[in-house]
Amino acid sequence: MPRILIVGGGYAGFYTAWKLEKWLRAGEAEVTMVDPLPYMTYQPFLPEVAAGSIEARHAVVAHRRHLKKTNVLTAKVTHIDHATKTATITPPIGEPWEFVYDIVVVTAGAVSRTFPIPGVADQAIGLKTIEEAVAIRDRVLTNFDKAALLPAGPERDRLLTFVVIGGGFAGIEVFAELRSFATSLLKSYPQIGFDDTHFHLIEAMGRIMPEVSLKTSLWVIKDLDQRGAQIHLNTQLTSAVDGKIELSTGESFETDLIVWTAGVMANPAVVRHTDLPIEERGRLQVRPDLRVGTEDEIIADAWGAGDITAVPDLSGGGVGGFCVPNAQHAVRQGKLLAKNIVAVLRGEGPKEYLHKNLGAVAGLGIGTGVFQSGKFAMTGLLAWFAHRGYHGLAMPSWERKLRVVWGWVNNFFLGRDIVSLAALEHPRAAFEEFASRPKPASDAAAPAKAPASAAAAAKSSTTVPATKAAPTAPTARTPRAPRKTAAKPAATTAVATDAAVADAETVAAK
């Protein structure tokens, strides 16, 4: 029975495994999926998670719950040697081992692409994982809590200034959602006014959201401007050291939250450690039928899909002739990839991937959205419903769909939950603060001597008073001779005290 190894459990990897379970006959192949995370993240929901509109756990899909026939390994693939058909699997605990496969499917996705701008690596946060979205939400709430206790001034302004880098779909959506979130928080923080909050989006190009028409993008800029959110076009970030934003236009201000959404790149942990062909932009080279290779050469038993690959866009709408890295392509490629693998296993030919973009839809906060399909565009409330309807249906499995939709219904009647769980970053802090610890050996020995000292003090108190009670006259009037004689009782007392200490130590020892 052939062994199929799927490297990565994101959109493409999850859907490939999910559909293979459906279409493979019993005993036709053994499927193993390896991913360092135990779930697939539905990334279009990350902006709403960051704004508190969706519960974080509802935006992810547990691998083991929905992949019943797949061998799921929560680990990393750190090397692929297709010449020998072996992959190195590195678990979080224990030693790496070699996995021998017959067919490999590379769907390891993409990571945030950054540039060597001072301060970005230390201060910014991406928007590719559910953990990042939750951290952004908690930071906004925590900053509101802190700012509410401060008088007007630079520190308060820094806490209430939020910056997003990148004007693509992800950047605009999280920027607009955070603006909507902050506005909704004002009623719970009477110490903070609308004008106290500051939102800046930095975009190096001359427009935002290239997936929609220029007219639609201009409407988005105008709408955000009216909501108190500023977009800086043709502007580059030059420095973010210690949260101080410096722009190519000369503007400068300080912030406590920088969200980086300026592009992605193929997962370097995989593409840099394989003998499979990689194209000039660092992506896995894939044919239109999703087999690894070029037009002239096919790498047998190697497949790829999703953001880590350079899949030719046969519709002609892709940038540079390739499919853009988004969920729309990754999901469909995963489904086709599963069909093609099954077809090849049964001696049939694979089909080429062809998908014409049906449109783009984005949420810009509660009640506001944009929808673009060809020349047709829709904005406002109807577009927002279209956004939620599309992504609600696109969420894999009815179990996840129901959780997301039920959360939306709850929020409609009850409002967003505004509790910050920032303490999750250090969950043991409260326990450690008050936890009792064993005393050092030197300190532990001290209590054993305490009873001896007490016994000595008690013994001394019975002897010393007799000596102290004798002289009632002032010491200055006491002659020399009597003073020499009075020294004897003191010596006797000292001897008695030493004896008492010795006796007490003996008792304590026993």
Side-chain angles (χ1 to χ4, degrees), residues 170-250:
I172 288 296
E173 283 193 292
V174 72
F175 184 62
E177 289 284 357
L178 290 179
R179 174 68 271 184
S180 174
F181 185 34
T183 301
S184 70
L185 289 176
L186 294 177
K187 62 180 178 292
S188 300
Y189 293 87
Q191 306 91 339
I192 301 174
F194 181 85
D195 293 335
D196 295 328
T197 59
H198 312 284
F199 283 80
H200 299 271
L201 183 137
I202 315 302
E203 170 54 47
M205 305 298 290
R207 61 164 297 180
I208 60 170
M209 305 174 73
E211 298 88 347
V212 303
S213 67
L214 179 60
K215 180 180 178 181
T216 302
S217 71
L218 292 176
W219 180 91
V220 172
I221 294 174
K222 181 179 178 180
D223 176 75
L224 287 170
D225 181 65
Q226 292 173 346
R227 291 159 57 187
Q230 185 178 358
I231 295 179
H232 305 259
L233 297 177
N234 294 311
T235 304
Q236 296 180 352
L237 176 68
T238 59
S239 177
V241 176
D242 295 330
K244 183 178 181 180
I245 299 296
E246 295 183 6
L247 305 179
S248 58
T249 58

Side-chain angles (χ1 to χ4, degrees), residues 346-358:
R346 297 172 184 173
E348 303 171 5
K351 295 182 179 180
E352 294 185 338
Y353 176 74
L354 173 60
H355 171 67
K356 186 175 182 180
N357 190 356
L358 299 178

Side-chain angles (χ1 to χ4, degrees), residues 125-484:
I125 185 171
L127 192 66
K128 290 290 292 179
T129 68
I130 195 69
E131 293 82 4
E132 289 173 326
V134 172
I136 291 169
R137 174 185 177 274
D138 287 343
R139 177 68 65 84
V140 173
L141 289 168
T142 301
N143 283 9
F144 264 72
D145 288 333
K146 293 177 181 178
L149 302 175
L150 295 174
E155 181 60 21
R156 195 170 192 259
D157 289 341
R158 185 182 70 86
L159 291 170
L160 296 177
T161 298
F162 308 99
V163 178
V164 174
I165 311 298
F169 250 68
I172 288 296
E173 283 193 292
V174 72
F175 184 62
E177 289 284 357
L178 290 179
R179 174 68 271 184
S180 174
F181 185 34
T183 301
S184 70
L185 289 176
L186 294 177
K187 62 180 178 292
S188 300
Y189 293 87
Q191 306 91 339
I192 301 174
F194 181 85
D195 293 335
D196 295 328
T197 59
H198 312 284
F199 283 80
H200 299 271
L201 183 137
I202 315 302
E203 170 54 47
M205 305 298 290
R207 61 164 297 180
I208 60 170
M209 305 174 73
E211 298 88 347
V212 303
S213 67
L214 179 60
K215 180 180 178 181
T216 302
S217 71
L218 292 176
W219 180 91
V220 172
I221 294 174
K222 181 179 178 180
D223 176 75
L224 287 170
D225 181 65
Q226 292 173 346
R227 291 159 57 187
Q230 185 178 358
I231 295 179
H232 305 259
L233 297 177
N234 294 311
T235 304
Q236 296 180 352
L237 176 68
T238 59
S239 177
V241 176
D242 295 330
K244 183 178 181 180
I245 299 296
E246 295 183 6
L247 305 179
S248 58
T249 58
E251 296 176 80
S252 178
F253 48 86
E254 293 191 12
T255 180
D256 193 54
L257 177 62
I258 305 170
V259 182
W260 182 276
T261 64
V264 298
M265 64 179 181
N267 190 337
V270 174
V271 296
R272 294 176 185 175
H273 301 93
T274 180
D275 58 351
L276 294 171
I278 307 299
E279 49 98 58
E280 60 272 9
R281 292 190 60 185
R283 298 172 295 181
L284 186 68
Q285 189 136 13
V286 175
R287 294 161 47 87
D289 58 11
L290 304 181
R291 287 184 287 186
V292 176
T294 63
E295 292 183 4
D296 304 322
E297 181 186 10
I298 298 175
I299 307 298
D301 301 322
W303 303 77
D307 295 357
I308 197 172
T309 60
V311 179
D313 190 343
L314 301 183
S315 72
V319 179
F322 296 99
C323 296
V324 296
N326 62 23
Q328 191 173 145
H329 283 304
V331 169
R332 288 170 172 79
Q333 288 170 9
K335 294 178 180 179
L336 177 63
L337 200 157
K339 286 184 179 181
N340 283 350
I341 290 175
V342 173
V344 171
L345 286 174
R346 297 172 184 173
E348 303 171 5
K351 295 182 179 180
E352 294 185 338
Y353 176 74
L354 173 60
H355 171 67
K356 186 175 182 180
N357 190 356
L358 299 178
V361 61
L364 304 177
I366 301 296
T368 306
V370 294
F371 171 78
Q372 182 86 43
S373 180
K375 295 183 178 180
F376 174 75
M378 184 167 53
T379 59
L381 182 61
L382 289 178
W384 179 73
F385 279 119
H387 166 264
R388 287 207 159 177
Y390 172 79
H391 286 298
L393 292 173
M395 187 70 176
S397 84
W398 282 103
E399 177 255 341
R400 291 287 101 177
K401 297 181 199 294
L402 290 174
R403 290 184 187 274
V404 170
V405 173
W406 184 244
W408 283 336
V409 173
N410 284 339
N411 286 350
F412 179 79
F413 291 102
L414 304 176
R416 303 186 232 209
D417 195 324
I418 61 170
V419 175
S420 170
L421 297 179
L424 281 175
E425 296 180 15
H426 306 285
R428 295 186 65 252
F431 179 81
E432 288 185 41
E433 182 179 357
F434 302 104
S436 298
R437 292 177 170 81
K439 295 183 179 180
S442 58
D443 294 343
K449 293 184 178 181
S453 300
K459 185 77 174 178
S460 176
S461 64
T462 60
T463 308
V464 173
T467 307
K468 286 186 177 180
T472 56
T475 308
R477 296 182 180 181
T478 305
R480 279 181 172 269
R483 287 174 67 184
K484 289 181 180 180

Side-chain angles (χ1 to χ4, degrees), residues 486-505:
K488 290 182 180 180
T492 305
T493 301
V495 172
T497 303
D498 292 341
V501 171
D503 291 342
E505 288 178 345

Side-chain angles (χ1 to χ4, degrees), residues 106-127:
V106 183
T107 56
V111 299
S112 296
R113 180 194 62 184
T114 59
F115 306 103
I117 301 172
V120 167
D122 301 317
Q123 301 293 328
I125 185 171
L127 192 66

